């Protein structure tokens, strides 16, 4: 989501960890061509203006159809979107309460992060929700996010459309592997980011482990979103 910047750049995510390891986004009604022939009657001119006014008016049926596809009015609580069991396996040692990132409007975008260093193994998980005014806006946001990520693939059976990608980065000889899953569900976009590093070996977890973990968290995050709509509450996944 370009309108929804990720909570923290990868390097910023890792900086405190390195310390730990070391220490232990008119009808321009343009003059309506009211230039009428001198022979045109007043009635004809009025009829032409009425027709143009009708064309300029929004189609109420189109508006109601668009609104009918708006399933979600607000974002669920992100820090309860993933079960404690899943958190324990994906981010060992992390506080299950997570940390919600400050947002200017929690009804439309909310993000929660979990991270922990256990021994020399570091893991980070983000779950973000963005609620759009319309489904078409969510479709555009999803397409833009997907276009920014290359080398991934579709995730069948998740939301209305979903895409996952895993990338490896190296900084100061330290490998970090990060997976991202982008999901659109009606007028909402869910983004899950999961990454890890081993500060002893300087290696990163396997691609399969990161991809599988990110998809698992994304499935639970989507379930929490769908649950919040059906219950009218804030949603959440039981431990």
């Amino acid at each position: 989501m370009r309108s929804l910047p990720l909570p923290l750049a990868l390097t910023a995510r890792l900086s405190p960890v390195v310390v730990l390891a070391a220490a232990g986004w008119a009808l321009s009604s343009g003059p309506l061509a009211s230039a009428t022939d001198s022979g045109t009657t007043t009635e004809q001119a009025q009829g032409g203006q009425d027709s143009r006014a009708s064309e300029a008016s929004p189609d109420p049926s189109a508006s109601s159809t668009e609104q009918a596809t708006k399933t979600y009015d607000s974002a669920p609580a992100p820090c309860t979107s993933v079960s404690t069991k899943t958190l324990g396996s994906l981010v060992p040692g992390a506080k299950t309460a997570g940390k919600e990132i400050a947002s200017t409007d929690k009804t439309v975008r909310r993000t929660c992060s979990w991270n922990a260093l256990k021994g020399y193994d570091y893991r980070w998980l983000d779950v973000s929700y963005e609620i759009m005014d319309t489904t078409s806006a969510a479709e555009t946001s999803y397409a833009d996010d997907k276009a920014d990520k290359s080398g991934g693939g579709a995730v069948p059976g998740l939301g209305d459309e979903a895409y996952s990608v895993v990338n490896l980065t190296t900084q100061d000889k330290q490998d970090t592997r990060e997976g991202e899953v982008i999901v659109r569900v009606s007028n909402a976009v869910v983004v899950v980011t999961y990454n890890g590093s081993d500060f002893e070996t300087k290696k990163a977890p396997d691609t399969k482990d990161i991809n599988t973990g990110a998809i698992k968290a994304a499935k639970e995050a989507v379930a929490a979103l769908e649950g919040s709509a059906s219950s009218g509450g804030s949603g959440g996944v039981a431990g």
Side-chain angles (χ1 to χ4, degrees):
M1 291 171 274
R2 291 178 175 175
S3 58
L4 176 61
L6 286 176
L8 292 172
L10 180 58
T11 54
R13 293 173 178 165
L14 293 176
S15 59
V17 180
V18 173
V19 174
L20 288 173
W25 169 321
L27 222 207
S28 73
S29 200
L32 285 181
S34 27
T36 55
D37 293 334
S38 56
T40 303
T41 65
T42 300
E43 181 178 0
Q44 289 173 323
Q46 183 63 49
Q49 291 173 355
D50 290 345
S51 173
R52 283 187 289 272
S54 174
E55 293 173 358
S57 301
D59 182 353
S61 63
S63 176
S64 61
T65 298
E66 183 63 38
Q67 289 300 317
T69 63
K70 183 177 180 180
T71 305
Y72 306 101
D73 293 316
S74 61
C79 290
T80 58
S81 63
V82 180
S83 69
T84 56
K85 180 179 180 180
T86 296
L87 287 172
S89 66
L90 297 184
V91 195
K95 295 181 179 179
T96 56
K99 180 180 180 181
E100 183 161 359
I101 306 304
S103 172
T104 54
D105 188 347
K106 285 189 174 183
T107 62
V108 295
R109 52 175 71 87
R110 298 182 74 174
T111 299
C112 189
S113 293
W114 298 263
N115 64 87
L117 178 67
K118 187 171 184 180
Y120 292 98
D121 285 330
Y122 177 71
R123 297 291 184 275
W124 180 293
L125 176 68
D126 280 348
V127 173
S128 298
Y129 293 101
E130 184 164 13
I131 308 301
M132 308 292 183
D133 288 333
T134 63
T135 294
S136 60
E139 291 173 338
T140 298
S141 178
Y142 172 86
D144 288 344
D145 284 353
K146 181 179 174 181
D148 286 340
K149 310 291 180 180
S150 60
V155 183
L158 182 56
D160 293 316
E161 49 188 339
Y163 177 85
S164 74
V165 61
V166 177
N167 287 306
L168 177 68
T169 60
T170 302
Q171 183 175 351
D172 297 329
K173 298 182 179 181
Q174 172 64 60
D175 290 344
T176 298
R177 185 163 273 116
E178 179 169 285
E180 185 169 332
V181 180
I182 309 165
V183 189
R184 184 187 65 80
V185 190
S186 186
N187 63 302
V189 175
V190 183
V191 178
V192 169
T193 305
Y194 179 50
N195 68 52
S197 302
D198 184 320
F199 289 105
E200 182 176 34
T201 66
K202 300 294 185 180
K203 301 299 181 182
D206 291 340
T207 297
K208 181 179 179 181
D209 292 339
I210 290 296
N211 190 50
T212 300
I215 291 175
K216 181 176 179 58
K219 288 180 177 179
E220 292 188 9
V222 169
L225 174 69
E226 295 172 337
S228 70
S230 61
S231 66
S234 60
V237 177

